[in-house]
Amino acid sequence: MKFTGFVRKVDELGRIVLPMELRRSLNIEIRDSLEICVEGDNIILKKYQPSDVFTGGTDNLIDFHGKKVSISSIEEMAKLAGFKISND
């Protein structure tokens, strides 16, 4: 893990401010979502990237009942269900 030299206090609502330099270097924009992960006693923040619930892929996603699914996964499931898929 790389130490950045930034130290921030947690406010009364549990918030911290990510320094502008860090947000710029990681391409984090206002209103971007971050994933919060825990590894041992470390908290890891990662820029959230929506992905297919089945494959983890990030291309050609659609929203299906609040979940992200790729078109290729839908096509594969349709084939498994016996539907013929035409790419016309």
Side-chain angles (χ1 to χ4, degrees):
M1 188 171 0
K2 180 181 171 186
F3 181 67
T4 64
F6 297 116
V7 176
R8 293 292 186 262
K9 292 189 182 218
V10 177
D11 74 7
E12 61 276 353
L13 295 177
R15 299 175 296 197
I16 60 168
V17 174
L18 299 176
M20 179 62 78
E21 300 87 2
L22 186 61
R23 286 182 279 149
R24 281 187 182 141
S25 70
L26 296 174
N27 196 29
I28 297 171
E29 302 292 332
I30 294 171
R31 304 271 183 239
D32 280 352
S33 295
L34 298 177
E35 286 185 90
I36 303 169
C37 307
V38 175
E39 189 174 284
D41 52 341
N42 295 307
I43 299 170
I44 301 167
L45 300 175
K46 294 169 48 172
K47 190 169 179 178
Y48 175 68
Q49 176 98 20
S51 61
D52 184 320
V53 294
F54 299 108
T55 66
T58 58
D59 294 331
N60 298 318
L61 299 177
I62 63 169
D63 191 63
F64 181 74
H65 295 283
K67 305 289 183 192
K68 299 294 183 190
V69 183
S70 69
I71 293 172
S72 61
S73 286
I74 293 169
E75 289 173 345
E76 190 173 328
M77 286 186 286
K79 288 177 187 175
L80 287 171
F83 293 96
K84 294 189 187 269
I85 303 299
S86 173
N87 291 328
D88 295 332

